[in-house]
Amino acid sequence: MTRLTVLLALLLSACGSSAVLPAPTIRSVSPQEAHVGYLGTIRVTLDVVFPIRVDYSRQEASAGTGVRLWFGEVEAPLRDLDAEGTLSADVPSGLEPGTHDVRVVLADGREALRVDGFTVIEEVVLDEDGGVAEVPDGGIFVADGGPEVDGGTSAPDGGPTPGTPMKEGDITGFEFDVVPEQTRGQPFVVTVRALGPRAEEFEDKLDLTVSSSNGGVSPTSLDMFVAGVCAQSISVNAQGANVTLTVTDRFGVKGTSNSFRVK
């Protein structure tokens, strides 16, 4: 059962039901902080029960999924709400630096709140010292001159700040959970995990290919990463005893699954 749960039992009492649905809760916000001007996606994952809406004229039922999201007092533009109860949104334009509450409001008025759930950081200023091109940049400029050698010791660099775009070397590979035997054309869920220094921040899109020469894979990309993990439904239109799946990021970093049979 997914976190996005529909109470089918409400169908039995859809006429005049006074059942009270539980309040939603926010399970995670990823990333939890970003720099001013961040253009990536913020994902807010919920534990939520949506009400059933019944259209008797069409003899069908659907989950009511009207949802709004705020960071502090500023409403965020939503991109998507997936089957796992995860909202995808942009950082609202004009959101000031600082720490903000994250608030989700459903169409029926129920709310979820995570206090101080998201932080906007002032824009990073890089130290442009005009050095030799082959020498890596010194990283984020620090007002007191940055890490200095003093008595034979030096302060270590703090590393990339969450919310900054991924760079080459931040992700070193991708790992599949074991893929069991599958049936041609039948959907199944594949789970892929990012590896590397910033694996838990990875949310980029990956190209997906299948090794078999007599078929393909659908979709041809994975784009549902949350905190470095993707669990996405795919199908393989191929047959064979040694089929493998491979993902590739925009820097050419790859990961390949175990060999599995497709009947």
Side-chain angles (χ1 to χ4, degrees):
M1 182 173 62
T2 66
R3 292 189 294 272
L4 181 57
T5 306
V6 176
L7 291 183
L8 296 178
L10 289 180
L11 289 172
L12 301 178
S13 56
C15 296
S17 172
S18 59
V20 177
L21 299 181
T25 58
I26 297 174
R27 292 176 58 88
S28 65
V29 179
S30 178
Q32 295 182 3
E33 60 182 36
H35 289 286
V36 172
Y38 176 61
L39 299 178
T41 300
I42 307 298
R43 289 182 169 86
V44 179
T45 300
L46 305 173
D47 269 336
V48 59
V49 177
F50 286 125
I52 289 291
R53 294 176 179 173
V54 181
D55 186 339
Y56 292 102
S57 64
R58 297 185 180 182
Q59 296 185 342
E60 62 183 26
S62 62
T65 57
V67 179
R68 299 174 72 182
L69 171 67
W70 278 266
F71 293 98
E73 299 300 319
V74 185
E75 186 170 2
L78 295 181
R79 294 186 181 183
D80 187 34
L81 170 62
D82 69 19
E84 294 297 314
T86 297
L87 295 168
S88 298
D90 297 323
V91 177
S93 176
L95 190 63
E96 296 293 331
T99 300
H100 305 276
D101 296 344
V102 178
R103 183 166 62 100
V104 176
V105 180
L106 306 185
D108 60 8
R110 288 175 294 144
E111 297 188 11
L113 178 68
R114 173 165 286 198
V115 176
D116 297 338
F118 184 71
T119 301
V120 178
I121 304 171
E122 292 281 5
E123 186 175 1
V124 176
V125 179
L126 298 179
D127 182 8
E128 299 179 357
D129 55 11
V132 181
E134 300 85 50
V135 178
D137 182 70
I140 299 173
F141 180 79
V142 181
D144 64 2
E148 296 181 352
V149 177
D150 183 11
T153 62
S154 60
D157 182 13
T161 302
T164 58
M166 288 287 171
K167 297 180 180 180
E168 192 167 5
D170 289 341
I171 301 300
T172 57
F174 299 95
E175 180 180 62
F176 283 78
D177 282 6
V178 174
V179 180
E181 179 179 280
Q182 301 297 329
T183 300
R184 181 178 183 177
Q186 294 299 310
F188 64 96
V189 174
V190 63
T191 301
V192 179
R193 305 172 193 278
L195 305 175
R198 298 181 65 192
E200 292 186 358
E201 299 174 50
F202 185 80
E203 296 182 350
D204 290 357
K205 178 179 179 179
L206 297 180
D207 292 331
L208 177 65
T209 57
V210 64
S211 62
S212 178
S213 60
N214 65 343
V217 61
S218 179
T220 57
S221 65
L222 299 182
D223 57 2
M224 295 174 61
F225 278 85
V226 176
V229 180
C230 174
Q232 186 169 326
S233 179
I234 67 170
S235 63
V236 175
N237 185 26
Q239 286 183 303
N242 294 296
V243 177
T244 60
L245 298 168
T246 297
V247 291
T248 308
D249 72 5
R250 58 194 174 95
F251 297 111
V253 178
K254 297 179 181 291
T256 300
S257 73
N258 59 288
S259 297
F260 58 97
R261 180 171 178 261
V262 179
K263 59 185 180 180

